[in-house]
Amino acid sequence: METMFPIIEMTSEPPGAARVPRYPAPEENATGCALARRLEGFNPLSEAERAALAQLGGYVRSVARHVALVDQDRVADHALIVFSGFAARHKRRTSGRRQILAYLLPGDLCDRGALHGYPLDHAIETLTPCRVARVPRVAYLDLLERHPGIAIALQRARLAEEATAREWIANIGFRSGVERAAHLLCELLERLGAIGQASDGQFELPLTQVDLAEALGLSSVHMNRVLQALRRDGIIVSQGRHLRILAPRRLRQLAEFEAGYL
Amino acid sequence: METMFPIIEMTSEPPGAARVPRYPAPEENATGCALARRLEGFNPLSEAERAALAQLGGYVRSVARHVALVDQDRVADHALIVFSGFAARHKRRTSGRRQILAYLLPGDLCDRGALHGYPLDHAIETLTPCRVARVPRVAYLDLLERHPGIAIALQRARLAEEATAREWIANIGFRSGVERAAHLLCELLERLGAIGQASDGQFELPLTQVDLAEALGLSSVHMNRVLQALRRDGIIVSQGRHLRILAPRRLRQLAEFEAGYL
DNA sequence: CGTGTTTTTGAATCATATCAACGCAGGTGG
DNA sequence: CCACCTGCGTTGATATGATTCAAAAACACG
C-alpha cells in the first residue's frame, strides 16, 4: 500500500560534484557526526566504535518535511537515527489536535521497534527535511553486541530521554506559557550544544511557532505572543531561523532550568 | 543527619496475633503479591522466580504517609519496590508548587539508583502509608542475573512506564481538566486491575484531591469542580476512598483513552 | 468532643484559547 | 515580469477555562 517512507533520494551526488572523490557528507563521517558527538558525551568511544558508527552512514536517506517516519500502533523492525534535521514524537486526538512528546534532534534515535517487538504508542514525523538512517534490526543488534561502549552510551541516552520526558511533564504541568518557552529554549540550547550545533547562546532553530506551540501545549497564537514577550524583554532575538539568546541567565532563572541531566 | 527513611516498624506482629503461625502479610507472599501479579502480566514467571520475589519480602518496611523515599539529586544505592500503598515521583519549584510525574502503585518500582550510578532528577514520596522494599544494589543485581524471566518482565515494565510518561505529557498538554481527570481514572482502573485491586469498575483510591490535582496540573479547587462534574453527569460515584465508575464507556471516550500499553 | 485535614462554596481575576483577518515573503506558472 | 498562491507570523476582539483567595462545611482521628 502506501510507501510509508517516501524518500527523496539525494544520496547519489549531483552531476557537477562527481569530479571530487566522494566523502560522506559532513553529518555522516565519524567526527562531524552528531550521533558520534552525542554518544561520546555519554561514554567515550574507541576508534573501532567510531568507525562502526560511520558505517551507519550507508543507511542514511534524505526525508522531506512532514513525513511520517513511524506510524502509531505499528511494530517497526528498524532503528531510526536522525543525522540532521528535526523530527518529533507525537500523539493526535481525533479532533486533529496534536501534542509533541519529544523532539528528535541530530544524534537522537528511536530503537523501540528494533529492540522490542512492541507497537509504538505514538508516531514519529519529520518537522524539517532530515537525513535519517533506518537500521535493520539485525544490523542494529549486531552493532550493540560488537561494541559494548556504544551499548552503554545508548543506555545512558535512554536515561536522558526519560529524564527529558519527565521534565516536559513538569514543564507543561506547572509552568506558565513564558516559563515553558524559556525552559524549552534552555533545553534546546543544551542539547544542540552537546552536538556542536549551538555556540555562544546562538543556534539555528528550524521550527515554526506551531511546532513549538504543539510541544508546549499552547495555542499558536499564544506561542507567538510568548515569543514577543521574550523579545520585548531583551531575552532573545531571532532573525529568520537563527535564534540568539541575549540573557541566558535570565532565561534560565525564568524557567528554573537545571542543567545536567543532558 | 536526617534518617532519610523514617520507618514505622510494624513488621512484627501485634501482640494479639501472635498465636497464629506467622505468614507473610498477604501483600508479601508470592501469589497475593502485587509485584508478582504485575510482572506476570509482562512475562510468565517460573516457580523459582516467584519464590525469589517472595524472598524480597524480607526487605519490606512500613513507611508513613508523606515520607520521602528518595531525594532529588541523590544517588540511591537501592532499588525501591512498592508492595502496598501509593507513592509518587515529583518535582518541586522554588515557589513550593509541585508536579507529580508518576504514581507508583503496588507492584511498581524504581531501580534507577540501583542500576546506574546517576543522581535522580526528581524525588519520590509516599502519598499514603506504604509497605516498601528497599533492595540493596547487589541483591537486586543478583536477582536479575539469576532470574532472566524477572529481568525481561522488568524491561517491559520500564517500557510501560515510559509509555505512561508520554501519555501524561499528552494528557496535560492537550486535554481539558475534565478530560484529564477522566484519562487518569481510566489509567488507574487499568493499572489497579492488573494487580487485582480493581474489579467491576470499582477500586479504592486513597488519594486526596490535592494529590490528583498535582498530577494533572490543575489547582485543587478546579480538581474539586472537575470531580463534581463527573459525578453530576453520572460517570462516577465516590464514597470516601471508594470510587466506582458508573459509565466506563463514556469515561473512556471522554478521555479518548486507548487501553493496551499497560 | 475537639482539632486538624479535606472537601466544598463563592466571587474576583487572570491566563490562555478561539475566531477572524491581514501582511509579508517565497515560489510558481503564465 | 506580473499575478497568484501558500505558509507563516502577527493583530485585535472576545470567550472561557482555570486560578486565587477566603471561608464555611464535612470528615477523620485520637
Side-chain angles (χ1 to χ4, degrees):
Chain A
M1 37 170 285
E2 17 74 337
T3 51
M4 159 61 199
F5 200 64
I7 288 167
I8 300 179
E9 193 44 80
M10 309 186 213
T11 299
S12 51
E13 299 81 352
R19 16 190 178 80
V20 290
R22 163 77 167 122
Y23 291 115
E27 314 88 38
E28 284 129 45
N29 70 44
T31 42
C33 166
L35 179 61
R37 286 202 61 153
R38 184 166 146 74
L39 294 187
E40 291 267 12
F42 289 114
N43 192 36
L45 301 179
S46 70
E47 201 47 64
E49 285 166 338
R50 254 175 283 127
L53 290 182
Q55 290 302 321
L56 293 177
Y59 296 109
V60 174
R61 296 287 179 273
S62 291
V63 183
R65 199 185 160 211
H66 291 315
V67 168
L69 296 176
V70 181
D71 286 331
Q72 183 160 357
D73 301 326
R74 252 267 182 60
V75 183
D77 52 349
H78 292 255
L80 225 56
I81 308 177
V82 178
F83 276 76
S84 74
F86 283 34
R89 304 175 187 276
H90 72 264
K91 287 184 188 252
R92 257 182 212 293
R93 301 196 64 172
T94 50
S95 69
R97 186 161 177 184
R98 83 164 172 175
Q99 174 68 41
I100 290 179
L101 306 167
Y103 289 131
L104 298 183
L105 310 188
D108 285 328
L109 77 170
C110 172
D111 56 13
R112 266 163 210 74
L115 291 183
H116 327 269
Y118 283 117
L120 212 49
D121 59 305
H122 60 275
I124 302 184
E125 190 177 303
T126 56
L127 298 176
T128 72
C130 286
R131 306 233 348 125
V132 177
R134 292 183 83 214
V135 184
R137 172 195 223 104
V138 281
Y140 188 71
L141 292 176
D142 183 64
L143 177 77
L144 294 190
E145 198 180 334
R146 277 229 224 305
H147 304 286
I150 294 179
I152 288 177
L154 285 171
Q155 278 178 34
R156 296 187 180 155
R158 183 170 174 201
L159 283 177
E161 189 180 325
E162 289 176 348
T164 305
R166 283 189 290 268
E167 199 58 72
W168 280 38
I169 294 176
N171 201 28
I172 302 177
F174 67 10
R175 277 191 258 266
S176 72
V178 185
E179 292 163 345
R180 287 182 217 182
H183 195 279
L184 180 59
L185 292 180
C186 290
E187 181 193 317
L188 286 172
L189 180 61
E190 181 160 314
R191 290 174 63 187
L192 289 172
I195 54 170
Q197 297 193 12
S199 58
D200 213 15
Q202 298 177 58
F203 52 88
E204 299 303 314
L205 185 61
L207 301 179
T208 68
Q209 295 185 355
V210 173
D211 294 331
L212 296 170
E214 286 178 335
L216 296 177
L218 300 176
S219 71
S220 62
V221 172
H222 196 55
M223 186 73 229
N224 179 275
R225 291 177 174 138
V226 160
L227 289 174
Q228 285 180 50
L230 289 175
R231 283 192 285 250
R232 175 170 24 77
D233 295 351
I235 297 180
I236 64 171
V237 286
S238 57
Q239 34 203 332
R241 315 268 76 144
H242 188 82
L243 192 110
R244 174 180 215 151
I245 295 169
L246 296 175
R249 174 121 334 150
R250 269 206 290 160
L251 192 71
R252 274 196 297 271
Q253 69 193 49
L254 191 58
E256 292 184 6
F257 181 81
E258 316 167 27
Y261 59 85
L262 209 96
Chain B
M1 38 171 283
E2 15 74 337
T3 52
M4 159 64 200
F5 200 66
I7 289 168
I8 299 179
E9 195 43 82
M10 309 185 211
T11 299
S12 51
E13 299 80 351
R19 15 189 178 80
V20 290
R22 162 78 167 123
Y23 291 115
E27 313 88 40
E28 285 130 43
N29 70 46
T31 41
C33 167
L35 178 61
R37 286 201 60 152
R38 183 166 146 74
L39 294 187
E40 292 266 12
F42 289 115
N43 193 36
L45 301 179
S46 69
E47 200 49 64
E49 285 166 337
R50 254 175 282 126
L53 290 182
Q55 291 301 321
L56 294 176
Y59 297 108
V60 174
R61 295 289 179 272
S62 291
V63 183
R65 198 183 159 210
H66 291 316
V67 168
L69 296 175
V70 181
D71 286 331
Q72 183 160 357
D73 301 326
R74 254 269 183 60
V75 183
D77 53 348
H78 292 256
L80 224 57
I81 308 177
V82 178
F83 276 77
S84 75
F86 283 35
R89 304 175 188 274
H90 72 265
K91 287 183 187 253
R92 257 183 212 293
R93 301 195 65 171
T94 49
S95 69
R97 185 161 175 182
R98 84 164 172 174
Q99 174 68 41
I100 290 180
L101 306 167
Y103 289 132
L104 298 182
L105 311 188
D108 285 328
L109 77 170
C110 172
D111 54 15
R112 265 162 211 74
L115 292 183
H116 327 269
Y118 283 117
L120 212 49
D121 60 303
H122 61 274
I124 302 183
E125 190 176 303
T126 55
L127 298 176
T128 71
C130 286
R131 304 233 350 125
V132 177
R134 291 184 82 213
V135 185
R137 171 194 224 103
V138 282
Y140 189 70
L141 292 176
D142 183 65
L143 178 77
L144 295 190
E145 197 181 335
R146 275 229 224 308
H147 304 287
I150 293 178
I152 287 178
L154 286 170
Q155 277 179 34
R156 297 188 179 155
R158 184 170 173 201
L159 283 177
E161 190 179 326
E162 289 176 348
T164 305
R166 284 189 290 267
E167 199 58 70
W168 280 38
I169 294 177
N171 202 29
I172 302 177
F174 67 12
R175 277 191 258 264
S176 71
V178 186
E179 292 163 345
R180 287 182 217 181
H183 194 280
L184 181 59
L185 292 181
C186 288
E187 181 193 317
L188 287 172
L189 180 60
E190 180 159 315
R191 290 173 63 185
L192 289 172
I195 55 171
Q197 297 193 14
S199 58
D200 212 15
Q202 297 176 61
F203 52 88
E204 299 303 313
L205 184 62
L207 301 178
T208 69
Q209 296 184 356
V210 173
D211 294 331
L212 295 170
E214 287 178 335
L216 296 178
L218 301 174
S219 72
S220 62
V221 171
H222 195 55
M223 185 74 229
N224 179 275
R225 290 175 175 141
V226 160
L227 289 174
Q228 284 182 52
L230 289 175
R231 283 192 283 250
R232 176 171 23 78
D233 295 351
I235 297 180
I236 64 171
V237 285
S238 58
Q239 34 205 333
R241 314 269 77 145
H242 188 81
L243 192 109
R244 173 180 216 153
I245 295 169
L246 297 174
R249 173 119 337 149
R250 268 207 289 160
L251 193 70
R252 275 196 296 270
Q253 67 193 51
L254 192 58
E256 292 184 4
F257 181 82
E258 317 169 25
Y261 60 85
L262 207 96

